Amino acid sequence: YDGTTCSPEGLKSQLDIAAENNYIKAVVLRVNSGGGVATAGEEMTEYVREFKETTGKPVVVSSAATNARAAYEISSQADCIYVGKTTAIGAIGTAMQFMDYSGLMEMLGITTEDITSSSSKDSTYGNRALTEEERAYYQAQVDQINETFIENVAQGRDMKVDEVKPLATGLTFTDAVENGLADEIGTLEDAVAKAAELAGSSTRETVTLDTSSSDDLDLLLDLMSESNTQTTQELAQALKQLEADGAAK
């Protein structure tokens, strides 16, 4: 939740620009992430899904070294996922971690006293072990969150839930094309070519949309100026629209 394209609000702001700009025909997401907070992944998954449904513009994922956990949940909504032969992808699973420092605190002669409104309010403080009831409670939370993860992947990959569950080991794969979690072995350039193909576009000029870039307009104009398919009027209209998009940021 830092406002970058690796956050829900940052990703949505760039998808909104891509949705509203008629000169953007498709989106390629370059992914190199080991995941993050479950809720952020859930939100970003929904934004990618909504973008596809409302705009009809294809989305292609180009995976770098890692595309795992929540990052894969988001990627699963794409029309096509590219991976490298050594890309670590998948890691469908959910985890919570609790630390119990009570043994160490006892060695150091440290004692704590928590005044709580309920018996489990201090369950995450780390100064005692979980009770069996608390452990069961948190396990049920993990299971529920993981079911949402699996269902999102199944929907995005057009798979049955029962087909995804055996792959939800929490581990990454390097054979994701074979097991159905990815579609093709290829580079970023291959993903761009596929996006152009899915969009029915004869050109592959690209512009990078992210929250830290300030040169998108110049870059797009440079790329478009190399193409003989763009008229002066089209260039002017593209510039006008992108300037409006930039102001809207």
Side-chain angles (χ1 to χ4, degrees):
Y1 293 97
D2 58 1
T4 69
T5 48
C6 293
S7 70
E9 59 271 27
L11 177 64
K12 187 177 187 304
S13 68
Q14 302 310 317
L15 288 176
D16 287 345
I17 291 173
E20 295 165 6
N21 192 309
N22 294 329
Y23 294 91
I24 296 177
K25 304 299 183 183
V27 167
V28 175
L29 296 176
R30 179 65 164 170
V31 179
N32 189 32
S33 172
V37 180
T39 307
E42 180 186 355
E43 290 181 58
M44 295 166 78
T45 297
E46 185 62 28
Y47 289 147
V48 173
R49 182 187 298 143
E50 287 179 356
F51 173 84
K52 286 177 49 184
E53 292 176 350
T54 58
T55 68
K57 297 180 180 182
V59 176
V60 176
V61 163
S62 170
S63 306
T66 306
N67 185 347
R69 302 174 185 85
Y72 179 73
E73 182 180 11
I74 300 162
S75 299
S76 70
Q77 305 307 301
D79 295 285
C80 186
I81 299 176
Y82 277 82
V83 294
K85 292 181 180 179
T86 56
T87 297
I89 189 168
I92 301 170
T94 306
M96 287 185 183
Q97 185 178 74
F98 298 88
M99 303 296 290
D100 178 9
Y101 300 105
S102 59
L104 177 61
M105 293 168 66
E106 183 178 354
M107 290 176 57
L108 297 175
I110 299 172
T111 60
T112 63
E113 186 172 355
D114 300 323
I115 309 300
T116 65
S117 59
S118 60
S119 59
S120 292
K121 185 63 180 178
D122 63 344
S123 62
T124 61
Y125 289 7
N127 55 11
R128 66 174 178 81
L130 295 176
T131 67
E132 289 303 317
E133 292 78 10
E134 290 166 345
R135 189 172 289 105
Y137 177 83
Y138 287 120
Q139 182 64 59
Q141 273 195 345
V142 166
D143 293 342
Q144 184 271 321
I145 294 169
N146 201 51
E147 282 297 317
T148 299
F149 192 163
I150 291 173
E151 289 168 3
N152 279 334
V153 171
Q155 181 176 349
R157 295 298 297 166
D158 194 23
M159 299 170 69
K160 296 179 180 179
V161 168
D162 287 343
E163 293 175 318
V164 178
K165 281 185 175 180
L167 301 173
T169 61
L171 302 174
T172 57
F173 300 92
T174 53
D175 59 347
V177 173
E178 287 78 9
N179 66 30
L181 294 184
D183 299 290
E184 300 285 348
I185 300 290
T187 63
L188 174 60
E189 290 72 24
D190 294 324
V192 170
K194 183 65 173 181
E197 174 191 328
L198 293 175
S201 176
S202 60
T203 60
R204 298 179 188 173
E205 290 85 359
T206 61
V207 59
T208 300
L209 298 178
D210 65 61
T211 52
S212 61
S213 175
S214 61
D215 300 320
D216 289 341
L217 296 180
D218 292 337
L219 177 60
L220 181 59
L221 288 176
D222 288 342
L223 290 168
M224 294 179 71
S225 66
E226 298 173 1
S227 173
N228 295 325
T229 63
Q230 302 292 335
T231 67
T232 302
Q233 183 177 7
E234 288 173 330
L235 284 170
Q237 289 295 324
L239 176 59
K240 183 177 180 181
Q241 183 164 355
L242 280 170
E243 285 178 335
D245 292 339
K249 290 183 184 180

